[in-house]
Structures are given as C-alpha cells and as structure tokens.
Amino acid sequence: MTEAATDAPAADTLEPKYKRVMLKISGEALMGDAGYGLNPPTVARIAREVKSVHDMGVEICMVIGGGNIFRGLAGSAQGMERTTADYMGMLATVMNALAMQSALEALGVYTRVISAIPMDQVCEPYIRRRAVRHLEKKRVCIFAAGTGNPYFTTDTAATLRANEMACEAIFKGTKVDGVYDKDPNKYPDATRYEEVSYDEALAKRLGVMDASAIALARDNNMPIIVFSLDEPGGFRGILSGQGTYTKVHGGKSVS
C-alpha cells in the first residue's frame, strides 16, 4: 500500500450502496479557479475521486458538461443559430471527456470515451451493448456529445444514459452539499433538503437538473443524489451512505 493510500480509510473498508452509477458533473467543475477552459490539477483531483470509487468495485458511467468551453444556450442568446450553437457545445463535452480519460488512465483506470456523434479517430461511437460490456469489464465509460441532438442538455443525456446502462442512481457533483430551498451562497438562512421528491423539485424549480431530466428520472424511478464534489473523498463517502447530500426520489420531501 502506498503512503498516499493511508491518508484516508482504505476503499475496501467502505461498502458501496450501489454497484453501477452515473456521475454527472458540469464543465465548470473542471475549471478550478480559472475563469475558462480546463485546469489540469482540478481534472486530476476529480479523477482521483472517481478512481477511489472504482477501486471499491463500482461500475462508473460519467457525463461531463461543456460550459467551461462553450454553452450552446449562451451562444444562441447572442444571436447564433441554436442548432449550430448546441453542436458546438457537444464538441466541448468531447474535449472535456478526453481530458478526464487522460487523467484517469494516468492513474491506471481503463476508460472509454463514447460519443453520440461519431468521430472514430478520437473516441468510440455510442453502441449500447458495447458500452454495457465495457462496464462489465470494469472500464469507466464517459459519455460525450450529449444525446447527439440539439435542444437537449447534458443533464438529460446523463439521465438517458443512466437508464440505458441500468445504473442504480445518478450522482450529481456540485459546489454545494445538496439541494437547498434557495442559493446558500447568497442566503445564510437557506435550508438544505435531506430528501426531496421529483414533483417538488419540478414544482419549486430547485435547480437539481433541468425539467426534462427530472421527468425522465421520475418516470423510471431513478434516484438523483446531489453532493459536493469539492469535498475530498466525498464521492466515495456518499456512495457508502456517509457525508452530507440530498436524495431526489419518488418519496416525500424532508428538509
């Protein structure tokens, strides 16, 4: 065992509650303190978080947004044709996926980038059965280019792929430790939900994911777990039922 591995409890001392999961993170999460693009130390830190869960034997899917490079909706708001802007955003997610693949493979984690838009020289095209086989072989699968269609967000893509891959839950890594009734960075009296129903998340526009993604999760009873990706070891702990998070599911809300 390496010295670095002794800084936290060994992965095999924690029992994961799920065997196959989807991790959804925003492109902005890869920026670190920079205002744009990729911050390699931040990408490496997130890769270590993913590896710590992979080492527990959990099968991992990932979807990464592209907002750190280009956001289609923002481009459309500035006069660009929406379909073109969305395709540019999809290409940004491929760049982020390749960066994460490189960071994971530097840690010895076999990884596949799978794109909804075929580009054979840099990644695999999306074929569901092939992707499932990669997961069975304990490879991390990073799904890029959204759904391959304009007008759909990476939130919706993550929920779609999570259902297609028979994931047991979607983990959404954010900068806060759950879902609040209002922005905790602006309002000190903001209250965090321990659990919230799909319908309440939609009705109150709590910002968990976009409406299409939440509705798709609700229709397939796919739980969404919102946690802070900035907390070291947070992903592994949350997966074992420890730490602070909000679970979005079909039950009643608890705040």
Side-chain angles (χ1 to χ4, degrees):
M1 181 179 294
T2 65
E3 183 177 351
T6 63
D7 293 340
D12 58 6
T13 66
L14 297 175
E15 184 65 29
K17 299 179 68 174
Y18 302 96
K19 296 301 184 183
R20 180 180 294 176
V21 300
M22 166 65 72
L23 174 62
K24 166 63 172 68
I25 61 177
S26 67
E28 288 88 346
L30 306 184
M31 293 192 307
D33 295 330
Y36 177 83
L38 291 158
N39 180 259
T42 301
V43 177
R45 177 183 62 79
I46 295 174
R48 289 194 295 271
E49 293 287 320
V50 174
K51 181 181 185 300
S52 71
V53 170
H54 182 267
D55 288 346
M56 299 169 75
V58 177
E59 297 171 1
I60 304 171
C61 305
M62 293 183 70
V63 168
I64 307 172
N68 56 318
I69 299 172
F70 187 86
R71 187 179 295 278
L73 195 58
S76 177
Q78 296 178 29
M80 186 176 291
E81 194 270 323
R82 174 65 188 271
T83 301
T84 298
D86 279 355
Y87 279 123
M88 291 174 67
M90 292 179 213
L91 295 177
T93 70
V94 177
M95 295 172 68
N96 285 338
L98 292 171
M100 183 57 64
Q101 178 186 44
S102 178
L104 284 167
E105 292 188 339
L107 298 173
V109 179
Y110 292 108
T111 308
R112 295 292 185 272
V113 172
I114 302 171
S115 173
I117 300 175
M119 46 186 80
D120 294 343
Q121 277 103 339
V122 295
C123 53
E124 294 185 7
Y126 176 67
I127 300 172
R128 189 186 67 84
R129 288 180 180 272
R130 181 185 293 177
V132 170
R133 185 61 178 147
H134 286 320
L135 291 172
E136 292 171 347
K137 290 183 177 180
K138 306 304 179 184
R139 297 164 182 162
V140 173
C141 288
I142 308 176
F143 297 101
T147 66
N149 302 287
Y151 296 94
F152 288 93
T153 68
T154 50
D155 280 346
T156 301
T159 309
L160 174 64
R161 297 295 185 235
N163 281 289
E164 290 180 306
M165 295 297 105
C167 292
E168 297 173 305
I170 299 170
F171 284 75
K172 182 168 183 181
T174 70
K175 291 185 177 296
V176 293
D177 58 357
V179 179
Y180 286 77
D181 59 352
K182 48 191 171 185
D183 189 344
N185 294 318
K186 296 180 179 178
Y187 303 97
D189 61 339
T191 301
R192 184 181 61 83
Y193 292 91
E194 291 187 11
E195 300 179 17
V196 64
S197 70
Y198 301 116
D199 290 337
E200 187 168 359
L202 286 169
K204 293 186 176 180
R205 299 184 178 182
L206 295 177
V208 178
M209 286 182 161
D210 66 67
S212 297
I214 295 175
L216 182 58
R218 178 191 61 191
D219 292 347
N220 293 278
N221 198 30
M222 175 72 67
I224 305 168
I225 297 167
V226 183
F227 70 104
S228 173
L229 198 62
D230 290 340
E231 175 97 17
F235 187 25
R236 186 179 68 179
I238 298 298
L239 199 67
S240 303
Q242 302 177 2
T244 305
Y245 58 91
T246 297
K247 183 175 182 179
V248 184
H249 62 115
K252 295 181 178 180
S253 299
V254 180
S255 59

